[in-house]
Amino acid sequence: MTQPSSNAFSRIPAATLSVWLVEDEADVRDSLSQWLEVSGLAVLAFSRAREALKALQDDQQCGVLISDIKMPEMDGLALFAAVQELDTPPPVILITGHGDVPMAVAAIQQGAWDFVQKPFDPERLEECARRALEHRALALENLQLQQALRHNYLNTRLLGDSALMQELRRQVENLAASRANIVINGETGSGKEVVARALHDFGTGNQGAFVALNCGAMNSELIESELFGHEKGAFTGAGEQRIGRLEAASHGTLFLDEIESLPLSAQVKLLRALQEGEITRLGSNQVIHLQLRVVAASKENLLEMVAEGSFREDLYYRLAIAELAIPPLRERREDIPLLFRHFCHQAAEVHERPLLEPTTELLAALGNHRWPGNLRELRNIATRFILGLDLPWQTSSVPLYQASALSARMEAFEATVLKESLKRHAGNIQAVLEELDLPRRTLNQKMQRHQLRREDFLVP
C-alpha cells in the first residue's frame, strides 16, 4: 500500500530556507543582501513587490519576506495583504520610516511578523529574520506532518493498491478540503459510507457531526420528520420534540444514503432547505439556520432518473457539485488478497479466533468470483473463513488455509513486524533500523526475503 514519503517526517532546517528582500533602492538592497549573506543566510533580492508576489504565487519556497513599506507601484503593505491570501504565507518583516510606524503596528495586529524602523541596526534585522526562519521551518514541518498523516489515514481507510483506488484516494483528498456537496455513485456493498466518512473526517468541516440517514430504509410518511425534525404534538404520535438530521448535522456532514429513494415531495423541501440554508421543524415557525455539507450516495444513475422524472433535476445539480465513482470489486481484483487478509484480521479479533493464512488456491478462487455484493460480501466470506464455516461457492478441491508450522508462523510474524515498521516510518530505513535494533545488512536481507521494497512505502 502506498505510504507517506519519509521526507514528510524529516525536520526542515531553517538554514535551508531563504530570506526574500524586497527593496526598490538599489544601494539599500545591495548592502542589506551582503550583510545577510555574510551572516550565513541565503538571500533572494527583488526590486519590485509584484516580482516577489509572482514568485510566491508560483510556489517558490520562501523562508521569510522582508519588505520596505514605501515603494512604487505596489507598496509593502499591499504586498503583505496579498501574501496573507496565500495558502501557506511566509512571515513578513516590514522596514518602515518614522512616519510609517502606526501603519506597521496595524500590520502586526493583522499578522505581520515584525517591523524594523529606519535607521536600523543590521544585527537587529538579522536576529529578527533568524527567529522568523525558525518559525517558518516549524510551520512547514507541521504542515508536511499533517499532510503525511492524512495520506496515511486515507491509505488505511480506503484500502487498495490498484490504480482505481489510488485515483479515488486522490479525489477524496482533494474534495475533502472543500465544503462542496458530493454525490457518491457505487454498487451495493462497495463502501459508499466509508468514503463519505473519509470525506468528513479528512475535511475542514469535521468539527461538526457526521449524521447518516438511509433514505431507502425510511417510511415515506416519516422521512420529512427525520430530515427536518418536529415539535411535540406536530402530528399523531409526536409525543416529544425531535431534532432532525439536517439540524443535527449543522457544521458537519449529512450523509444521505440511497438518495434515489427519497420521495419527490421530500426532494422539494430538501432542495429549498439547501438553497436557503435554513429549516423549520414540523409544527414550528422558528427558523433554524444551517451550515453543512451534504454527501449523497446512490446505486442508481441519478441523471437517468432525472430524465424519467423520478428525481428532481434542480436537486441533482444542487447535490452533485462533485461526483465520486467507487469501483466495484470485480474491477480491482488485484486488491482482493489485501482486502481479504484485512477482513480476516478484523474477524479474528472480533470473534477471538486464531488468524488463518489463506492458500494460493483460495486467493485465486476469490479473484475469479464475480462479487455482486462487493466489499460487504468479501467481509462476510472472510468472517466465515475465520470461523471455519463453509464458503458459499467453495469446492472440496480448494484447500482453504496454509499449514501452521511454527517456522511458517514465525516468518509471517517477522514479515508483519517489518511491514508495520516500514509503514510507521514511511520507508525511512534509518528509523526502522533504530526501532528494530538491526544492522543494516540484516534488515536488507530480511526485506529481500519477504519481498519488501522501501519504494512501496513512499508517496509518489
Side-chain angles (χ1 to χ4, degrees), residues 73-323:
E73 298 177 11
M74 172 184 267
D75 65 20
L77 292 176
L79 174 60
F80 164 69
V83 168
Q84 294 305 100
E85 299 298 320
L86 301 174
D87 290 336
T88 55
V92 175
I93 299 173
L94 296 171
I95 299 175
T96 174
H98 178 73
D100 298 327
V101 170
M103 289 188 293
V105 171
I108 293 288
Q109 294 171 344
Q110 295 169 17
W113 177 259
D114 205 345
F115 74 92
V116 178
Q117 184 177 353
K118 295 179 181 178
F120 55 83
D121 181 355
E123 292 183 355
R124 156 92 168 94
L125 181 62
E126 177 199 342
E127 178 188 356
C128 188
R130 288 191 184 279
R131 286 190 287 107
L133 286 171
E134 288 291 343
H135 174 81
R136 176 67 163 168
L138 182 60
L140 291 176
E141 181 185 358
N142 289 338
L143 176 63
Q144 291 184 346
L145 178 58
Q146 291 170 9
Q147 292 172 341
L149 291 174
R150 288 198 296 266
H151 280 296
N152 186 58
Y153 165 83
L154 285 176
N155 287 339
T156 56
R157 202 57 93 81
L158 305 178
L159 291 173
D161 293 328
S162 63
L164 289 172
M165 286 306 295
Q166 291 181 33
E167 174 63 15
L168 178 61
R169 285 196 295 268
R170 187 195 66 77
Q171 292 175 333
V172 169
E173 183 175 358
N174 177 47
L175 291 173
S178 75
R179 296 295 296 152
N181 295 334
I182 297 173
V183 168
I184 302 174
N185 301 293
E187 297 179 0
T188 298
S190 58
K192 295 186 288 294
E193 184 166 352
V194 174
V195 172
R197 284 187 177 274
L199 286 165
H200 172 77
D201 293 342
F202 186 46
T204 55
N206 60 4
Q207 67 271 23
F210 177 89
V211 179
L213 175 65
N214 188 322
C215 301
M218 293 300 305
N219 185 305
S220 58
E221 287 77 25
L222 297 177
I223 189 71
E224 291 184 24
S225 174
E226 284 293 327
L227 282 171
F228 303 104
H230 62 254
E231 297 293 339
K232 180 179 179 180
F235 52 84
T236 303
E240 58 184 15
Q241 184 191 70
R242 180 181 179 85
I243 302 299
R245 304 297 177 95
L246 281 159
E247 185 178 348
S250 192
H251 302 288
T253 302
L254 176 64
F255 174 58
L256 297 176
D257 199 5
E258 297 188 32
I259 187 70
E260 69 275 11
S261 302
L262 194 65
L264 284 170
S265 59
Q267 291 182 32
V268 174
K269 294 182 179 180
L270 175 61
L271 173 64
R272 184 181 302 118
L274 297 181
Q275 285 177 333
E276 298 176 0
E278 59 185 35
I279 61 167
T280 55
R281 301 190 195 114
L282 300 182
S284 171
N285 293 321
Q286 180 184 357
V287 174
I288 300 169
H289 296 281
L290 302 175
Q291 184 180 358
L292 76 163
R293 160 193 267 179
V294 177
V295 178
S298 176
K299 61 181 182 294
E300 305 293 339
N301 187 316
L302 292 181
L303 277 177
E304 290 181 359
M305 294 183 65
V306 167
E308 295 167 358
S310 55
F311 198 87
R312 290 186 63 95
E313 183 178 26
D314 44 10
L315 178 59
Y316 169 78
Y317 286 113
R318 173 65 61 170
L319 294 173
I321 304 300
E323 293 192 68

